[in-house]
Amino acid sequence: SALPEKKMVFNGLTVNKEDMNKLMLTPLIHYPLPGGSALITFEEAKVAQRIIEVREHMVELSCGEELEELDRCRVRVQAVPVEILLPSALEVRLTQSSRSILVSDLPSLGISKEALLDKLELFFSKAKNGGSEVESREFLDDSGQMVLTFTQDGVAEPLIEKGRIQVLIGKGKYEVKISPCMSGDITNLQLQPSRCPRTVLLLGIPDVLSEEAMRDALEIHFQKASRGGGEVDALAYVPAGRTGVAVFVEDTG
């Protein structure tokens, strides 16, 4: 009940009553990629599994880039599964800020976010409006709400108790909602290994072609059914001597 309100759209998904207080996590995993590697994601998990089972693959390259000898037109790469750690349990301790408030139901005035923040900061900086000197302000893009932090303690609580306040901006009055500003600290995090079902990590790729040409050669090779491949959904290649980072999100397909 102390958390700020956020408007949401109900799409028909229901849960058991005992699950209502559980926190739903959306994975956003950063996975380091060494030089001479590639990540390839197939449309079907069974294709990725076939590629991993074969393990070693001879990839044919285009001979148009100064690769004259026949034995230099193929490279051997290793296919291994991608193992990542996903959170299985999370405990968060929530604390309420003594100097910050969360302002929601912001008015739509047809002005920029910064201009709106200026007007709200000016209003809440005045003692006659129940406010005080503002130390900082922040607009939360993901929720369309605003966090105001005052320089003094004891200002936020009376505003929160009011719940809703009429804000005077120009010649108009607009009602905004005031809620506690909560911050969370992770007190317990448990992880479990998980294998990406549709993604394969290719290792040992030599630096013999340009980045674009090597990416094309890998995609052509692994999409052919005659070599155990299939339709490629995405492919990222990191040349030797460089490093990269892949970001994994929840597979909703």
Side-chain angles (χ1 to χ4, degrees):
S1 59
L3 293 176
E5 292 183 0
K6 182 177 180 180
K7 294 181 179 179
M8 305 183 72
V9 177
F10 177 65
N11 288 325
L13 177 65
T14 59
V15 298
N16 295 328
K17 184 177 180 181
E18 57 269 19
D19 295 332
M20 290 180 63
N21 291 324
K22 291 185 178 180
L23 179 65
M24 301 300 294
L25 299 178
T26 300
L28 186 66
I29 308 299
H30 289 224
Y31 188 88
L33 293 175
S37 70
L39 274 180
I40 181 167
T41 299
F42 296 95
E43 291 186 358
E44 297 182 356
K46 62 182 181 180
V47 176
Q49 184 60 35
R50 285 202 304 264
I51 296 299
I52 293 171
E53 289 175 354
V54 175
R55 189 169 177 82
E56 287 194 353
H57 297 264
M58 295 295 296
V59 179
E60 294 184 4
L61 305 179
S62 170
C63 296
E65 296 195 11
E66 300 179 358
L67 297 175
E68 298 176 357
E69 299 178 14
L70 183 62
D71 60 350
R72 295 182 60 193
C73 291
R74 296 181 179 88
V75 296
R76 188 188 305 272
V77 300
Q78 306 289 324
V80 297
V82 177
E83 301 279 355
I84 59 178
L85 292 175
L86 293 178
S88 58
L90 175 67
E91 294 180 8
V92 179
R93 181 180 63 246
L94 293 177
T95 55
Q96 180 177 331
S97 173
S98 62
R99 295 192 295 121
S100 299
I101 60 173
L102 186 73
V103 185
S104 55
D105 292 349
L106 303 180
S108 299
L109 303 178
I111 58 178
S112 66
K113 295 177 184 177
E114 284 299 316
L116 179 59
L117 291 179
D118 289 341
K119 294 182 181 297
L120 290 172
E121 179 182 349
L122 180 61
F123 178 87
F124 284 103
S125 65
K126 296 178 180 180
K128 66 177 182 179
N129 297 327
S132 180
E133 182 181 351
V134 175
E135 180 180 277
S136 64
R137 84 274 179 95
E138 179 186 3
F139 187 83
L140 305 179
D141 287 316
D142 61 340
S143 63
Q145 300 170 341
M146 169 188 180
V147 175
L148 272 178
T149 301
F150 300 100
T151 58
Q152 302 175 7
D153 289 328
V155 179
E157 191 62 34
L159 291 172
I160 294 170
E161 290 179 357
K162 291 182 179 180
R164 306 192 76 88
I165 294 180
Q166 290 280 344
V167 176
L168 180 63
I169 300 179
K171 297 182 179 180
K173 288 186 177 181
Y174 308 90
E175 187 177 82
V176 298
K177 180 176 176 58
I178 309 298
S179 305
C181 184
M182 311 296 293
S183 60
D185 296 318
I186 296 177
T187 57
N188 181 31
L189 174 61
Q190 298 178 19
L191 302 172
Q192 65 179 11
S194 177
R195 176 179 292 192
C196 295
R198 299 190 298 118
T199 302
V200 177
L201 176 62
L202 303 177
L203 299 172
I205 304 173
D207 189 16
V208 293
L209 291 180
S210 67
E211 184 174 347
E212 182 178 358
M214 180 60 78
R215 188 166 53 244
D216 291 343
L218 291 171
E219 184 167 354
I220 290 172
H221 177 88
F222 285 102
Q223 72 179 359
K224 291 184 178 181
S226 59
R227 293 165 179 161
E231 288 297 325
V232 175
D233 191 24
L235 190 148
Y237 165 60
V238 181
R242 292 166 55 183
T243 58
V245 176
V247 179
F248 286 87
V249 297
E250 186 177 6
D251 189 352
T252 58

